[in-house]
Amino acid sequence: MREDSVSTNPLPSVVDIDTWRTELEALRIREKAATRELDAIAAQRRRLPMVELPDYTLEGEDGPVRLADVFAGKSQLVVYSHMWFPGEEWQCPGCTGFTSQFTRLEFLDLYDARFVIVTQGPIDEALAYKRRVGNRMPWYSTANSPFGADIDAPPGGGFGVNVFLRDGDTVYRTWHTNGRGVEQLTHTFPLIDLLPYGRQEDWQDVPTGWPQSPTYNRWPSSKDIAATYGSPNP
């Protein structure tokens, strides 16, 4: 910055390179500790017991499908429960934005796994919405099944992630999360959290003068996502 130039923007303090490296290494200790804790959490997750599920039937693009067949031959299945509000043109922007990230899921084939969306919306409406917003994931409907409610995503309820394991035709539920627990599956927040100004949401702990706005204010709307990724003639 030129000596005669005075910035009015909120900025981190400017220090010499040695001081910066010292501060970075102090932060790195906490970051590595968090990584090790996440490893320990994952190890505990792998040791969770599981619960056997009934033989549910969902609705897919080609008609009724048993839950065991939603695995498409894989032994492991990740299900995102997409919020659905009857009669609404634009569904939950959080769910729409989160699932729009997943365009290349073939890597899961190497782990004998699949990742799909299940919603309470009727399958025809769900598939039309998928096309409208440019979603690339497989969609299924639980509108005529208790499956959604049984995995903590009832009609009118919130979003969530469940993981299932299949042994033959028997399906087991192994893990569930919702709320901010879903953040670990997104690449957006980890990238944004690296930025000096972070998410810029008013609940976050930031230095005085940092830009902040109401939570969700910077999130794209479902209509915005459709304009970016969707089909003009869904």
PDB file of all heavy atoms in Angstrom, residues 94-127:
ATOM      1  N   GLY A  94     -31.486 -23.712   1.129  1.00  0.00           N
ATOM      2  CA  GLY A  94     -30.351 -24.404   1.734  1.00  0.00           C
ATOM      3  C   GLY A  94     -30.166 -25.789   1.150  1.00  0.00           C
ATOM      4  O   GLY A  94     -29.059 -26.191   0.775  1.00  0.00           O
ATOM      5  N   CYS A  95     -31.274 -26.549   1.066  1.00  0.00           N
ATOM      6  CA  CYS A  95     -31.214 -27.887   0.476  1.00  0.00           C
ATOM      7  C   CYS A  95     -30.852 -27.815  -0.998  1.00  0.00           C
ATOM      8  O   CYS A  95     -30.043 -28.604  -1.498  1.00  0.00           O
ATOM      9  CB  CYS A  95     -32.562 -28.595   0.627  1.00  0.00           C
ATOM     10  SG  CYS A  95     -33.028 -29.007   2.326  1.00  0.00           S
ATOM     11  N   THR A  96     -31.445 -26.856  -1.701  1.00  0.00           N
ATOM     12  CA  THR A  96     -31.184 -26.715  -3.135  1.00  0.00           C
ATOM     13  C   THR A  96     -29.723 -26.376  -3.384  1.00  0.00           C
ATOM     14  O   THR A  96     -29.078 -26.941  -4.278  1.00  0.00           O
ATOM     15  CB  THR A  96     -32.093 -25.630  -3.730  1.00  0.00           C
ATOM     16  OG1 THR A  96     -33.462 -25.959  -3.465  1.00  0.00           O
ATOM     17  CG2 THR A  96     -31.904 -25.520  -5.236  1.00  0.00           C
ATOM     18  N   GLY A  97     -29.181 -25.471  -2.586  1.00  0.00           N
ATOM     19  CA  GLY A  97     -27.787 -25.093  -2.747  1.00  0.00           C
ATOM     20  C   GLY A  97     -26.828 -26.189  -2.348  1.00  0.00           C
ATOM     21  O   GLY A  97     -25.823 -26.446  -3.024  1.00  0.00           O
ATOM     22  N   PHE A  98     -27.129 -26.862  -1.238  1.00  0.00           N
ATOM     23  CA  PHE A  98     -26.255 -27.931  -0.753  1.00  0.00           C
ATOM     24  C   PHE A  98     -26.136 -29.039  -1.788  1.00  0.00           C
ATOM     25  O   PHE A  98     -25.044 -29.462  -2.165  1.00  0.00           O
ATOM     26  CB  PHE A  98     -26.796 -28.489   0.561  1.00  0.00           C
ATOM     27  CG  PHE A  98     -26.072 -29.700   1.061  1.00  0.00           C
ATOM     28  CD1 PHE A  98     -24.836 -29.589   1.678  1.00  0.00           C
ATOM     29  CD2 PHE A  98     -26.633 -30.963   0.915  1.00  0.00           C
ATOM     30  CE1 PHE A  98     -24.158 -30.720   2.133  1.00  0.00           C
ATOM     31  CE2 PHE A  98     -25.972 -32.091   1.371  1.00  0.00           C
ATOM     32  CZ  PHE A  98     -24.733 -31.972   1.977  1.00  0.00           C
ATOM     33  N   THR A  99     -27.277 -29.525  -2.284  1.00  0.00           N
ATOM     34  CA  THR A  99     -27.244 -30.664  -3.198  1.00  0.00           C
ATOM     35  C   THR A  99     -26.770 -30.281  -4.596  1.00  0.00           C
ATOM     36  O   THR A  99     -26.343 -31.148  -5.361  1.00  0.00           O
ATOM     37  CB  THR A  99     -28.628 -31.332  -3.284  1.00  0.00           C
ATOM     38  OG1 THR A  99     -29.614 -30.361  -3.678  1.00  0.00           O
ATOM     39  CG2 THR A  99     -29.026 -31.914  -1.940  1.00  0.00           C
ATOM     40  N   SER A 100     -26.813 -28.994  -4.946  1.00  0.00           N
ATOM     41  CA  SER A 100     -26.328 -28.580  -6.273  1.00  0.00           C
ATOM     42  C   SER A 100     -24.819 -28.760  -6.398  1.00  0.00           C
ATOM     43  O   SER A 100     -24.275 -28.772  -7.510  1.00  0.00           O
ATOM     44  CB  SER A 100     -26.694 -27.112  -6.539  1.00  0.00           C
ATOM     45  OG  SER A 100     -25.924 -26.232  -5.729  1.00  0.00           O
ATOM     46  N   GLN A 101     -24.123 -28.914  -5.272  1.00  0.00           N
ATOM     47  CA  GLN A 101     -22.672 -29.075  -5.298  1.00  0.00           C
ATOM     48  C   GLN A 101     -22.239 -30.428  -5.858  1.00  0.00           C
ATOM     49  O   GLN A 101     -21.124 -30.572  -6.364  1.00  0.00           O
ATOM     50  CB  GLN A 101     -22.102 -28.966  -3.883  1.00  0.00           C
ATOM     51  CG  GLN A 101     -22.381 -27.674  -3.182  1.00  0.00           C
ATOM     52  CD  GLN A 101     -21.945 -27.755  -1.732  1.00  0.00           C
ATOM     53  OE1 GLN A 101     -20.844 -28.205  -1.423  1.00  0.00           O
ATOM     54  NE2 GLN A 101     -22.813 -27.335  -0.832  1.00  0.00           N
ATOM     55  N   PHE A 102     -23.118 -31.427  -5.743  1.00  0.00           N
ATOM     56  CA  PHE A 102     -22.701 -32.795  -6.029  1.00  0.00           C
ATOM     57  C   PHE A 102     -22.990 -33.156  -7.482  1.00  0.00           C
ATOM     58  O   PHE A 102     -24.061 -33.621  -7.838  1.00  0.00           O
ATOM     59  CB  PHE A 102     -23.394 -33.758  -5.064  1.00  0.00           C
ATOM     60  CG  PHE A 102     -23.073 -33.481  -3.627  1.00  0.00           C
ATOM     61  CD1 PHE A 102     -23.981 -32.819  -2.818  1.00  0.00           C
ATOM     62  CD2 PHE A 102     -21.848 -33.833  -3.090  1.00  0.00           C
ATOM     63  CE1 PHE A 102     -23.679 -32.549  -1.497  1.00  0.00           C
ATOM     64  CE2 PHE A 102     -21.538 -33.560  -1.777  1.00  0.00           C
ATOM     65  CZ  PHE A 102     -22.451 -32.908  -0.969  1.00  0.00           C
ATOM     66  N   THR A 103     -22.002 -32.934  -8.326  1.00  0.00           N
ATOM     67  CA  THR A 103     -22.153 -33.203  -9.753  1.00  0.00           C
ATOM     68  C   THR A 103     -21.297 -34.373 -10.207  1.00  0.00           C
ATOM     69  O   THR A 103     -21.521 -34.909 -11.291  1.00  0.00           O
ATOM     70  CB  THR A 103     -21.771 -31.963 -10.576  1.00  0.00           C
ATOM     71  OG1 THR A 103     -20.409 -31.610 -10.273  1.00  0.00           O
ATOM     72  CG2 THR A 103     -22.684 -30.789 -10.228  1.00  0.00           C
ATOM     73  N   ARG A 104     -20.336 -34.772  -9.405  1.00  0.00           N
ATOM     74  CA  ARG A 104     -19.449 -35.880  -9.763  1.00  0.00           C
ATOM     75  C   ARG A 104     -19.333 -36.819  -8.567  1.00  0.00           C
ATOM     76  O   ARG A 104     -18.484 -36.637  -7.697  1.00  0.00           O
ATOM     77  CB  ARG A 104     -18.073 -35.356 -10.178  1.00  0.00           C
ATOM     78  CG  ARG A 104     -18.116 -34.472 -11.417  1.00  0.00           C
ATOM     79  CD  ARG A 104     -16.745 -33.956 -11.796  1.00  0.00           C
ATOM     80  NE  ARG A 104     -16.812 -33.129 -13.005  1.00  0.00           N
ATOM     81  CZ  ARG A 104     -15.768 -32.529 -13.545  1.00  0.00           C
ATOM     82  NH1 ARG A 104     -14.567 -32.659 -13.000  1.00  0.00           N
ATOM     83  NH2 ARG A 104     -15.904 -31.791 -14.642  1.00  0.00           N
ATOM     84  N   LEU A 105     -20.187 -37.824  -8.554  1.00  0.00           N
ATOM     85  CA  LEU A 105     -20.237 -38.758  -7.435  1.00  0.00           C
ATOM     86  C   LEU A 105     -19.701 -40.134  -7.790  1.00  0.00           C
ATOM     87  O   LEU A 105     -19.776 -41.061  -6.980  1.00  0.00           O
ATOM     88  CB  LEU A 105     -21.684 -38.882  -6.938  1.00  0.00           C
ATOM     89  CG  LEU A 105     -22.225 -37.632  -6.228  1.00  0.00           C
ATOM     90  CD1 LEU A 105     -23.741 -37.720  -6.084  1.00  0.00           C
ATOM     91  CD2 LEU A 105     -21.564 -37.476  -4.862  1.00  0.00           C
ATOM     92  N   GLU A 106     -19.133 -40.258  -8.985  1.00  0.00           N
ATOM     93  CA  GLU A 106     -18.658 -41.571  -9.423  1.00  0.00           C
ATOM     94  C   GLU A 106     -17.551 -42.124  -8.526  1.00  0.00           C
ATOM     95  O   GLU A 106     -17.358 -43.343  -8.467  1.00  0.00           O
ATOM     96  CB  GLU A 106     -18.160 -41.501 -10.868  1.00  0.00           C
ATOM     97  CG  GLU A 106     -19.257 -41.258 -11.906  1.00  0.00           C
ATOM     98  CD  GLU A 106     -19.665 -39.798 -12.001  1.00  0.00           C
ATOM     99  OE1 GLU A 106     -19.001 -38.951 -11.356  1.00  0.00           O
ATOM    100  OE2 GLU A 106     -20.647 -39.519 -12.720  1.00  0.00           O
ATOM    101  N   PHE A 107     -16.833 -41.255  -7.831  1.00  0.00           N
ATOM    102  CA  PHE A 107     -15.756 -41.728  -6.963  1.00  0.00           C
ATOM    103  C   PHE A 107     -16.272 -42.651  -5.866  1.00  0.00           C
ATOM    104  O   PHE A 107     -15.537 -43.496  -5.345  1.00  0.00           O
ATOM    105  CB  PHE A 107     -15.000 -40.547  -6.341  1.00  0.00           C
ATOM    106  CG  PHE A 107     -15.787 -39.783  -5.311  1.00  0.00           C
ATOM    107  CD1 PHE A 107     -15.709 -40.111  -3.968  1.00  0.00           C
ATOM    108  CD2 PHE A 107     -16.608 -38.728  -5.688  1.00  0.00           C
ATOM    109  CE1 PHE A 107     -16.436 -39.413  -3.017  1.00  0.00           C
ATOM    110  CE2 PHE A 107     -17.343 -38.032  -4.753  1.00  0.00           C
ATOM    111  CZ  PHE A 107     -17.256 -38.371  -3.416  1.00  0.00           C
ATOM    112  N   LEU A 108     -17.567 -42.515  -5.526  1.00  0.00           N
ATOM    113  CA  LEU A 108     -18.139 -43.383  -4.501  1.00  0.00           C
ATOM    114  C   LEU A 108     -18.212 -44.836  -4.959  1.00  0.00           C
ATOM    115  O   LEU A 108     -18.282 -45.748  -4.124  1.00  0.00           O
ATOM    116  CB  LEU A 108     -19.536 -42.890  -4.111  1.00  0.00           C
ATOM    117  CG  LEU A 108     -19.594 -41.614  -3.268  1.00  0.00           C
ATOM    118  CD1 LEU A 108     -21.038 -41.179  -3.058  1.00  0.00           C
ATOM    119  CD2 LEU A 108     -18.906 -41.820  -1.921  1.00  0.00           C
ATOM    120  N   ASP A 109     -18.187 -45.070  -6.285  1.00  0.00           N
ATOM    121  CA  ASP A 109     -18.191 -46.441  -6.786  1.00  0.00           C
ATOM    122  C   ASP A 109     -17.008 -47.226  -6.237  1.00  0.00           C
ATOM    123  O   ASP A 109     -17.108 -48.432  -5.982  1.00  0.00           O
ATOM    124  CB  ASP A 109     -18.134 -46.454  -8.319  1.00  0.00           C
ATOM    125  CG  ASP A 109     -19.397 -45.903  -8.957  1.00  0.00           C
ATOM    126  OD1 ASP A 109     -20.438 -45.830  -8.269  1.00  0.00           O
ATOM    127  OD2 ASP A 109     -19.334 -45.526 -10.150  1.00  0.00           O
ATOM    128  N   LEU A 110     -15.880 -46.550  -6.056  1.00  0.00           N
ATOM    129  CA  LEU A 110     -14.674 -47.211  -5.563  1.00  0.00           C
ATOM    130  C   LEU A 110     -14.813 -47.628  -4.101  1.00  0.00           C
ATOM    131  O   LEU A 110     -14.022 -48.442  -3.612  1.00  0.00           O
ATOM    132  CB  LEU A 110     -13.466 -46.279  -5.718  1.00  0.00           C
ATOM    133  CG  LEU A 110     -13.154 -45.819  -7.149  1.00  0.00           C
ATOM    134  CD1 LEU A 110     -12.016 -44.811  -7.138  1.00  0.00           C
ATOM    135  CD2 LEU A 110     -12.796 -47.019  -8.026  1.00  0.00           C
ATOM    136  N   TYR A 111     -15.814 -47.078  -3.428  1.00  0.00           N
ATOM    137  CA  TYR A 111     -16.040 -47.401  -2.020  1.00  0.00           C
ATOM    138  C   TYR A 111     -17.337 -48.184  -1.822  1.00  0.00           C
ATOM    139  O   TYR A 111     -17.828 -48.297  -0.705  1.00  0.00           O
ATOM    140  CB  TYR A 111     -16.065 -46.113  -1.197  1.00  0.00           C
ATOM    141  CG  TYR A 111     -14.742 -45.385  -1.234  1.00  0.00           C
ATOM    142  CD1 TYR A 111     -14.467 -44.462  -2.243  1.00  0.00           C
ATOM    143  CD2 TYR A 111     -13.744 -45.660  -0.299  1.00  0.00           C
ATOM    144  CE1 TYR A 111     -13.242 -43.817  -2.310  1.00  0.00           C
ATOM    145  CE2 TYR A 111     -12.519 -45.020  -0.352  1.00  0.00           C
ATOM    146  CZ  TYR A 111     -12.273 -44.097  -1.357  1.00  0.00           C
ATOM    147  OH  TYR A 111     -11.047 -43.471  -1.420  1.00  0.00           O
ATOM    148  N   ASP A 112     -17.856 -48.721  -2.929  1.00  0.00           N
ATOM    149  CA  ASP A 112     -19.071 -49.535  -2.878  1.00  0.00           C
ATOM    150  C   ASP A 112     -20.213 -48.761  -2.239  1.00  0.00           C
ATOM    151  O   ASP A 112     -20.920 -49.266  -1.363  1.00  0.00           O
ATOM    152  CB  ASP A 112     -18.802 -50.835  -2.103  1.00  0.00           C
ATOM    153  CG  ASP A 112     -19.893 -51.878  -2.311  1.00  0.00           C
ATOM    154  OD1 ASP A 112     -20.570 -51.835  -3.355  1.00  0.00           O
ATOM    155  OD2 ASP A 112     -20.081 -52.721  -1.402  1.00  0.00           O
ATOM    156  N   ALA A 113     -20.384 -47.496  -2.675  1.00  0.00           N
ATOM    157  CA  ALA A 113     -21.371 -46.616  -2.048  1.00  0.00           C
ATOM    158  C   ALA A 113     -22.091 -45.774  -3.086  1.00  0.00           C
ATOM    159  O   ALA A 113     -21.605 -45.574  -4.211  1.00  0.00           O
ATOM    160  CB  ALA A 113     -20.696 -45.714  -1.015  1.00  0.00           C
ATOM    161  N   ARG A 114     -23.249 -45.247  -2.684  1.00  0.00           N
ATOM    162  CA  ARG A 114     -24.054 -44.374  -3.524  1.00  0.00           C
ATOM    163  C   ARG A 114     -24.624 -43.260  -2.661  1.00  0.00           C
ATOM    164  O   ARG A 114     -24.845 -43.443  -1.457  1.00  0.00           O
ATOM    165  CB  ARG A 114     -25.194 -45.181  -4.158  1.00  0.00           C
ATOM    166  CG  ARG A 114     -25.935 -44.461  -5.286  1.00  0.00           C
ATOM    167  CD  ARG A 114     -27.079 -45.284  -5.825  1.00  0.00           C
ATOM    168  NE  ARG A 114     -27.607 -44.711  -7.066  1.00  0.00           N
ATOM    169  CZ  ARG A 114     -28.863 -44.794  -7.447  1.00  0.00           C
ATOM    170  NH1 ARG A 114     -29.757 -45.447  -6.701  1.00  0.00           N
ATOM    171  NH2 ARG A 114     -29.260 -44.239  -8.572  1.00  0.00           N
ATOM    172  N   PHE A 115     -24.898 -42.077  -3.281  1.00  0.00           N
ATOM    173  CA  PHE A 115     -25.421 -40.910  -2.574  1.00  0.00           C
ATOM    174  C   PHE A 115     -26.637 -40.417  -3.346  1.00  0.00           C
ATOM    175  O   PHE A 115     -26.530 -40.091  -4.535  1.00  0.00           O
ATOM    176  CB  PHE A 115     -24.340 -39.838  -2.509  1.00  0.00           C
ATOM    177  CG  PHE A 115     -24.662 -38.639  -1.656  1.00  0.00           C
ATOM    178  CD1 PHE A 115     -25.773 -38.588  -0.830  1.00  0.00           C
ATOM    179  CD2 PHE A 115     -23.815 -37.535  -1.666  1.00  0.00           C
ATOM    180  CE1 PHE A 115     -26.055 -37.481  -0.043  1.00  0.00           C
ATOM    181  CE2 PHE A 115     -24.079 -36.417  -0.889  1.00  0.00           C
ATOM    182  CZ  PHE A 115     -25.203 -36.389  -0.081  1.00  0.00           C
ATOM    183  N   VAL A 116     -27.816 -40.377  -2.695  1.00  0.00           N
ATOM    184  CA  VAL A 116     -29.054 -40.001  -3.377  1.00  0.00           C
ATOM    185  C   VAL A 116     -29.839 -39.000  -2.538  1.00  0.00           C
ATOM    186  O   VAL A 116     -29.546 -38.784  -1.365  1.00  0.00           O
ATOM    187  CB  VAL A 116     -29.942 -41.230  -3.661  1.00  0.00           C
ATOM    188  CG1 VAL A 116     -29.179 -42.277  -4.448  1.00  0.00           C
ATOM    189  CG2 VAL A 116     -30.496 -41.821  -2.365  1.00  0.00           C
ATOM    190  N   ILE A 117     -30.851 -38.399  -3.166  1.00  0.00           N
ATOM    191  CA  ILE A 117     -31.782 -37.501  -2.491  1.00  0.00           C
ATOM    192  C   ILE A 117     -33.117 -38.203  -2.312  1.00  0.00           C
ATOM    193  O   ILE A 117     -33.601 -38.884  -3.220  1.00  0.00           O
ATOM    194  CB  ILE A 117     -31.997 -36.214  -3.315  1.00  0.00           C
ATOM    195  CG1 ILE A 117     -30.719 -35.378  -3.346  1.00  0.00           C
ATOM    196  CG2 ILE A 117     -33.154 -35.382  -2.753  1.00  0.00           C
ATOM    197  CD1 ILE A 117     -30.816 -34.161  -4.245  1.00  0.00           C
ATOM    198  N   VAL A 118     -33.704 -38.045  -1.134  1.00  0.00           N
ATOM    199  CA  VAL A 118     -35.070 -38.513  -0.882  1.00  0.00           C
ATOM    200  C   VAL A 118     -35.874 -37.321  -0.375  1.00  0.00           C
ATOM    201  O   VAL A 118     -35.388 -36.547   0.470  1.00  0.00           O
ATOM    202  CB  VAL A 118     -35.103 -39.649   0.157  1.00  0.00           C
ATOM    203  CG1 VAL A 118     -36.529 -39.951   0.588  1.00  0.00           C
ATOM    204  CG2 VAL A 118     -34.471 -40.912  -0.424  1.00  0.00           C
ATOM    205  N   THR A 119     -37.065 -37.132  -0.904  1.00  0.00           N
ATOM    206  CA  THR A 119     -37.895 -36.009  -0.492  1.00  0.00           C
ATOM    207  C   THR A 119     -39.323 -36.458  -0.269  1.00  0.00           C
ATOM    208  O   THR A 119     -39.754 -37.494  -0.793  1.00  0.00           O
ATOM    209  CB  THR A 119     -37.855 -34.882  -1.545  1.00  0.00           C
ATOM    210  OG1 THR A 119     -38.579 -33.761  -1.075  1.00  0.00           O
ATOM    211  CG2 THR A 119     -38.455 -35.354  -2.865  1.00  0.00           C
ATOM    212  N   GLN A 120     -40.069 -35.676   0.492  1.00  0.00           N
ATOM    213  CA  GLN A 120     -41.475 -35.976   0.728  1.00  0.00           C
ATOM    214  C   GLN A 120     -42.352 -35.537  -0.444  1.00  0.00           C
ATOM    215  O   GLN A 120     -43.531 -35.867  -0.502  1.00  0.00           O
ATOM    216  CB  GLN A 120     -41.948 -35.276   2.013  1.00  0.00           C
ATOM    217  CG  GLN A 120     -41.348 -35.842   3.298  1.00  0.00           C
ATOM    218  CD  GLN A 120     -41.967 -37.166   3.699  1.00  0.00           C
ATOM    219  OE1 GLN A 120     -42.901 -37.646   3.069  1.00  0.00           O
ATOM    220  NE2 GLN A 120     -41.444 -37.766   4.761  1.00  0.00           N
ATOM    221  N   GLY A 121     -41.805 -34.798  -1.380  1.00  0.00           N
ATOM    222  CA  GLY A 121     -42.584 -34.339  -2.521  1.00  0.00           C
ATOM    223  C   GLY A 121     -42.942 -35.471  -3.458  1.00  0.00           C
ATOM    224  O   GLY A 121     -42.192 -36.444  -3.597  1.00  0.00           O
ATOM    225  N   PRO A 122     -44.099 -35.391  -4.142  1.00  0.00           N
ATOM    226  CA  PRO A 122     -44.463 -36.393  -5.155  1.00  0.00           C
ATOM    227  C   PRO A 122     -43.355 -36.511  -6.196  1.00  0.00           C
ATOM    228  O   PRO A 122     -42.735 -35.510  -6.565  1.00  0.00           O
ATOM    229  CB  PRO A 122     -45.753 -35.836  -5.755  1.00  0.00           C
ATOM    230  CG  PRO A 122     -46.304 -34.926  -4.706  1.00  0.00           C
ATOM    231  CD  PRO A 122     -45.112 -34.327  -4.027  1.00  0.00           C
ATOM    232  N   ILE A 123     -43.122 -37.719  -6.688  1.00  0.00           N
ATOM    233  CA  ILE A 123     -41.962 -37.945  -7.544  1.00  0.00           C
ATOM    234  C   ILE A 123     -41.993 -37.093  -8.801  1.00  0.00           C
ATOM    235  O   ILE A 123     -40.952 -36.564  -9.226  1.00  0.00           O
ATOM    236  CB  ILE A 123     -41.813 -39.449  -7.888  1.00  0.00           C
ATOM    237  CG1 ILE A 123     -40.491 -39.700  -8.614  1.00  0.00           C
ATOM    238  CG2 ILE A 123     -43.021 -39.946  -8.660  1.00  0.00           C
ATOM    239  CD1 ILE A 123     -39.254 -39.349  -7.817  1.00  0.00           C
ATOM    240  N   ASP A 124     -43.153 -36.912  -9.429  1.00  0.00           N
ATOM    241  CA  ASP A 124     -43.201 -36.099 -10.651  1.00  0.00           C
ATOM    242  C   ASP A 124     -42.799 -34.658 -10.364  1.00  0.00           C
ATOM    243  O   ASP A 124     -42.056 -34.044 -11.143  1.00  0.00           O
ATOM    244  CB  ASP A 124     -44.603 -36.141 -11.266  1.00  0.00           C
ATOM    245  CG  ASP A 124     -44.932 -37.506 -11.862  1.00  0.00           C
ATOM    246  OD1 ASP A 124     -43.994 -38.306 -12.036  1.00  0.00           O
ATOM    247  OD2 ASP A 124     -46.118 -37.765 -12.142  1.00  0.00           O
ATOM    248  N   GLU A 125     -43.285 -34.111  -9.254  1.00  0.00           N
ATOM    249  CA  GLU A 125     -42.930 -32.741  -8.889  1.00  0.00           C
ATOM    250  C   GLU A 125     -41.461 -32.649  -8.499  1.00  0.00           C
ATOM    251  O   GLU A 125     -40.783 -31.669  -8.812  1.00  0.00           O
ATOM    252  CB  GLU A 125     -43.817 -32.264  -7.744  1.00  0.00           C
ATOM    253  CG  GLU A 125     -45.289 -32.133  -8.107  1.00  0.00           C
ATOM    254  CD  GLU A 125     -46.127 -31.639  -6.944  1.00  0.00           C
ATOM    255  OE1 GLU A 125     -45.550 -30.992  -6.030  1.00  0.00           O
ATOM    256  OE2 GLU A 125     -47.342 -31.903  -6.922  1.00  0.00           O
ATOM    257  N   ALA A 126     -40.985 -33.666  -7.809  1.00  0.00           N
ATOM    258  CA  ALA A 126     -39.587 -33.669  -7.381  1.00  0.00           C
ATOM    259  C   ALA A 126     -38.646 -33.699  -8.580  1.00  0.00           C
ATOM    260  O   ALA A 126     -37.651 -32.972  -8.630  1.00  0.00           O
ATOM    261  CB  ALA A 126     -39.320 -34.859  -6.462  1.00  0.00           C
ATOM    262  N   LEU A 127     -38.960 -34.540  -9.567  1.00  0.00           N
ATOM    263  CA  LEU A 127     -38.109 -34.632 -10.751  1.00  0.00           C
ATOM    264  C   LEU A 127     -38.168 -33.355 -11.583  1.00  0.00           C
ATOM    265  O   LEU A 127     -37.158 -32.934 -12.168  1.00  0.00           O
ATOM    266  CB  LEU A 127     -38.513 -35.838 -11.590  1.00  0.00           C
ATOM    267  CG  LEU A 127     -38.256 -37.205 -10.946  1.00  0.00           C
ATOM    268  CD1 LEU A 127     -38.815 -38.316 -11.824  1.00  0.00           C
ATOM    269  CD2 LEU A 127     -36.769 -37.428 -10.680  1.00  0.00           C
TER     270      LEU A 127
END
